[in-house]
Amino acid sequence: MGKKRYLLTALILLLAMIFLAGCTGGNQTESNRNQQEVQEPLPEEAVQVTLYFANQEAEYLNRVEREIAKQDDIILALFEELKNPGEYGSVLPVEAELLNYSEDGNVLILNFNEAFANLGGSASEFLAINAIVNTYTELPEYEAVSFYVNEEFLETGHNAYDQPVPRNENAIQ
């Protein structure tokens, strides 16, 4: 009888160990481990932004509402969105980069690389400047934008932007 009791106790202990290992994950299979490692990312917070892009005829700007992932740096995020017009006309030179920016009261000061100065003809320049200004002045803290290229006022063959440029509602269709 002692031997049967010993075997029964050993069997119960073995079953208890197997059960506990399964509950604590101590004896996971490879597929269980992979399932736990691959978790769906948490949904990011999104923000609604307003951007301005050229219409297909490149005569006016279209107001475009987009939802983008919430960013720590909204100025850079808006610039990157302006580089992705989607179905609308592009307003920025392909190789344009925003090097840095600062603020002076309610004026946003943008400093671009040399590629930004290649805005094309007067119509495309008009659309590019106003798309940028109107996009950034959608943010409540800005009323105008100053344009620099490599720390100097932007000068094109058409204009010298040595003063802040205010919002232009007339450019919007």
Side-chain angles (χ1 to χ4, degrees), residues 159-171:
N159 288 307
Y161 295 92
D162 57 353
Q163 297 294 315
V165 179
R167 184 175 185 83
N168 183 355
E169 294 288 329
N170 294 327

Side-chain angles (χ1 to χ4, degrees), residues 100-115:
N100 54 56
Y101 64 90
S102 59
E103 300 173 354
D104 184 12
N106 59 4
V107 176
L108 177 63
I109 302 166
L110 302 175
N111 182 45
F112 298 97
N113 67 346
E114 189 68 35

Side-chain angles (χ1 to χ4, degrees), residues 19 23 39 49 53 67 106 129-130 140 144 153 172:
F19 175 77
C23 288
Q39 295 178 349
V49 295
F53 295 105
E67 195 169 276
N106 59 4
I129 296 298
N130 285 289
F153 286 116
I172 303 167

Side-chain angles (χ1 to χ4, degrees), residues 14-151:
L14 181 62
L15 289 172
M17 286 173 50
I18 291 171
F19 175 77
L20 288 174
C23 288
T24 61
N27 191 18
Q28 294 180 345
T29 65
E30 187 65 29
S31 102
N32 284 347
R33 269 188 236 118
N34 287 341
Q35 263 184 337
Q36 286 184 344
E37 289 171 11
V38 179
Q39 295 178 349
E40 289 187 33
L42 296 173
E44 296 181 43
E45 286 186 53
V47 294
Q48 187 80 19
V49 295
T50 302
L51 304 152
Y52 292 87
F53 295 105
N55 65 359
Q56 293 301 325
E57 296 79 30
E59 296 172 331
Y60 293 98
L61 296 174
N62 286 323
R63 179 187 173 112
V64 178
E65 300 285 331
R66 284 193 185 161
E67 195 169 276
I68 63 171
K70 187 173 184 180
Q71 305 284 324
D72 289 333
D73 192 332
I74 192 66
I75 303 300
L76 290 176
L78 289 174
F79 181 73
E80 290 305 314
E81 285 298 314
L82 283 170
K83 292 173 78 173
N84 296 305
E87 65 188 72
Y88 300 97
S90 179
V91 292
L92 296 176
V94 175
E95 295 176 0
E97 293 179 28
L98 179 59
L99 301 176
N100 54 56
Y101 64 90
S102 59
E103 300 173 354
D104 184 12
N106 59 4
V107 176
L108 177 63
I109 302 166
L110 302 175
N111 182 45
F112 298 97
N113 67 346
E114 189 68 35
F116 179 79
N118 302 321
L119 295 171
S122 60
S124 60
E125 180 179 321
F126 171 83
L127 291 172
I129 296 298
N130 285 289
I132 293 167
V133 171
N134 287 354
T135 294
Y136 285 112
T137 57
E138 286 287 337
L139 300 173
E141 56 267 37
Y142 304 115
E143 291 182 12
V145 177
S146 287
F147 291 88
Y148 287 80
V149 170
N150 294 326
E151 304 294 333

